[in-house]
Amino acid sequence: MKQIQMLDLKFEYEYIKDDIDAAIRRCLEHQKWILGPEVKELEEKMAGYLGVKHCIGVASGTEALLLSLRALAIKIKKQEYWDKDDLIITTPFTFTATGDTILRSGATPIFVDIDPQTFNIDTENIRIALDKYGAKIKGIIPVHLYGQPCDMTEVMNIAKENGIFAVEDCAQSFGAKFIGKQTGSFGNTGCFSFFPSKNLGGFGDGGMISTSDDDLAEIIRMLLKHGGKDKYNVEHIGYNARLDTLQAAVLLAKFKYIDEFNRKRQKAANIYNEGLKDLGFIEIPFVINDAYHVYHQYTIKLKKVNRDEAINQLNLRSVQTMIYYPYLLPEMDLFQKRCKTIGKLKNAGEISFMVLSLPIEPLYDDDTFRYVIKCLAELKNTENIKN
Ligand SMILES: Cc1ncc(COP(=O)(O)O)c(C=O)c1O
């Protein structure tokens, strides 16, 4: 039996091969590899799509976060970096980069617990952190995990009431919306990743920063090319963090399909929801009101079933699965002595043992998803096997 993968990038390439090949050919012809015309075109198209004034191509989602935080320190604090006493709130249940870029920007991460249903940061806990640490808190990084937007009305209300910034981690949420607005258009900046497995993925690393703040856009454009408007005469500690022309060309070709692909992901999620909702030992994703979830991942909670055994059984039936994320950030050596936490992060801790992400290749047919459901239903036999 053919392996059912989380994603099938070869299959996707075949589907849009003509667009991709033509885009790459154009680059071969013009040979403008650094900040070539495709980068500008992608930035303009994405700014229009997201409804922001500026989009700025960068080398990865990680660099998007780092450059945003550095630019905010330069704008707000008039310093190159934040100080260690400056605290930035985020979720412990995310990819490493959300937290390590806080450290790289000079600040200290403060992790608060998540909502057990959405897996996103619990805004009540953001308020608790603010009550405890007051003016030491400089900002929040909400992560739109698995493609589900956070309640950005509430996040932005908290940010405004407390005079702190919000940097949206949109690495998993290209095209997701809350109250009809794109993620990445609420905060001071939005940070997107074009890592190949993202719902808009390049052929290598890439990222994008969205912002409607002219000052931040100007600083970010300096930071991404060595720290100055003139790279031979710079004023900031900068990086070489540009988005490659070639990646921009591939992304422009794929961008045409993003809404179609996101709709296909939603269709797959609906098939999974229908087939899994009554199984008893599986909790299907919970979607908040006013959210347009793009299912970068379709992630279930396994209850009463030993997860390792479930993964093994699915594997034997040629179904690939993934755990996002097996460890909380504050559990990692990197963060242990370099972060603060609010409470025991009980929800995040429990959920990291229960989540399982299923194949969500937008081009798979309905029967493939039904086969995965059938395999999951067979796990009934492994119910109550303890971890
Ligand atoms: C939530 C989150 N933040 C940040 C990143 C970093 O993006 P990149 O891999 O493009 O550096 C990722 C991607 O892996 C992510 O999933």
Side-chain angles (χ1 to χ4, degrees):
M1 157 125 212
K2 195 170 171 263
Q3 179 80 5
I4 299 172
Q5 304 170 56
M6 297 299 291
L7 275 185
D8 187 340
L9 294 179
K10 280 191 192 164
F11 193 6
E12 291 188 23
Y13 170 58
E14 285 302 322
Y15 188 74
I16 54 178
K17 186 178 187 315
D18 292 346
D19 295 277
I20 302 266
D21 290 0
I24 292 176
R25 213 174 312 113
R26 276 193 294 276
C27 294
L28 294 173
E29 278 154 18
H30 69 52
Q31 292 283 321
K32 292 182 179 133
W33 299 115
I34 304 296
L35 297 182
E38 284 80 2
V39 175
K40 189 160 185 280
E41 189 183 337
L42 185 71
E43 290 177 342
E44 285 172 1
K45 285 205 169 133
M46 285 193 173
Y49 179 88
L50 297 173
V52 294
K53 273 171 87 176
H54 310 276
C55 269
I56 305 155
V58 289
S60 67
T62 305
E63 301 306 296
L65 287 163
L66 178 61
L67 267 59
S68 294
L69 297 177
R70 288 277 323 278
L72 282 156
I74 292 169
K75 176 170 171 163
I76 296 169
K77 199 148 184 167
K78 315 279 178 241
Q79 287 184 188
E80 290 293 313
Y81 294 91
W82 292 103
D83 291 319
K84 221 170 156 184
D85 284 345
D86 295 325
L87 305 179
I88 299 177
I89 298 173
T90 195
T91 162
F93 193 56
T94 179
F95 180 60
T96 324
T98 317
D100 80 41
T101 50
I102 296 177
L103 293 173
R104 288 171 69 195
S105 77
T108 297
I110 166 164
F111 296 110
V112 308
D113 209 357
I114 58 171
D115 177 291
Q117 284 189 295
T118 63
F119 314 131
N120 277 332
I121 196 163
D122 181 339
T123 50
E124 266 315 300
N125 289 324
I126 300 178
R127 290 191 187 277
I128 294 171
L130 279 154
D131 282 346
K132 183 158 181 200
Y133 290 101
K136 284 191 166 181
I137 293 178
K138 305 301 175 203
I140 320 171
I141 308 184
V143 180
H144 308 298
L145 196 72
Y146 307 147
Q148 158 136 254
C150 299
D151 177 345
M152 286 310 293
T153 307
E154 184 59 6
V155 171
M156 292 318 293
N157 283 343
I158 295 174
K160 280 188 196 114
E161 283 162 25
N162 292 278
I164 61 179
F165 67 74
V167 166
E168 292 175 73
D169 185 333
C170 307
Q172 303 186 6
S173 70
F174 201 97
K177 290 180 234 172
F178 183 68
I179 52 166
K181 272 184 70 175
Q182 290 281 342
T183 58
S185 67
F186 292 88
N188 299 67
T189 71
C191 301
F192 294 87
S193 163
F194 304 132
F195 186 83
S197 65
K198 299 300 188 216
N199 52 343
L200 180 58
F203 286 1
D205 282 307
M208 186 68 74
I209 300 176
S210 55
T211 183
S212 291
D213 180 323
D214 296 338
D215 300 334
L216 287 181
E218 191 179 333
I219 301 166
I220 289 164
R221 285 206 185 277
M222 287 196 269
L223 292 179
L224 73 85
K225 41 182 177 31
H226 305 284
K229 285 183 187 144
D230 173 352
K231 70 175 176 181
Y232 301 112
N233 182 13
V234 303
E235 53 227 82
H236 297 294
I237 303 171
Y239 309 87
N240 179 353
R242 298 169 292 230
L243 177 66
D244 274 347
T245 301
L246 204 52
Q247 290 307 334
V250 168
L251 289 161
L252 269 173
K254 291 184 91 176
F255 180 56
K256 268 176 44 187
Y257 296 87
I258 186 64
D259 288 337
E260 176 190 335
F261 274 41
N262 279 342
R263 277 195 301 272
K264 286 184 156 70
R265 284 171 186 269
Q266 289 169 336
K267 184 167 174 247
N270 288 337
I271 296 173
Y272 275 143
N273 285 344
E274 266 312 299
L276 299 176
K277 69 179 188 331
D278 298 323
L279 283 188
F281 55 91
I282 284 176
E283 217 174 281
I284 60 172
F286 175 86
V287 182
I288 54 168
N289 284 342
D290 298 319
Y292 185 82
H293 189 331
V294 291
Y295 295 97
H296 169 257
Q297 297 298 339
Y298 182 90
T299 303
I300 54 172
K301 255 196 270 180
L302 283 176
K303 301 179 296 181
K304 295 187 282 181
V305 174
N306 179 311
R307 186 171 59 180
D308 291 340
E309 181 57 21
I311 293 169
N312 190 27
Q313 290 297 326
L314 290 166
N315 206 12
L316 288 172
R317 292 163 175 78
S318 304
V319 176
Q320 191 189 15
T321 53
M322 296 292 277
I323 299 172
Y324 300 113
Y325 294 93
Y327 302 103
L328 304 186
L329 267 53
E331 290 169 354
M332 298 181 190
D333 280 350
L334 168 66
F335 293 104
Q336 268 176 16
K337 291 199 180 70
R338 298 185 182 92
C339 75
K340 294 190 184 302
T341 53
I342 295 289
K344 295 208 173 348
L345 309 176
K346 186 170 161 286
N347 295 337
E350 284 175 9
I351 280 157
S352 67
F353 283 103
M354 297 166 86
V355 283
L356 191 67
S357 298
L358 306 180
I360 190 75
E361 167 51 57
L363 297 180
Y364 280 158
D365 58 17
D366 298 359
D367 284 345
T368 306
F369 297 112
R370 290 202 186 98
Y371 172 74
V372 179
I373 293 168
K374 181 177 147 292
C375 296
L376 280 157
E378 286 164 10
L379 293 177
K380 182 96 188 128
N381 308 331
T382 63
E383 219 175 328
N384 295 324
I385 299 176
K386 293 272 172 280
N387 278 307

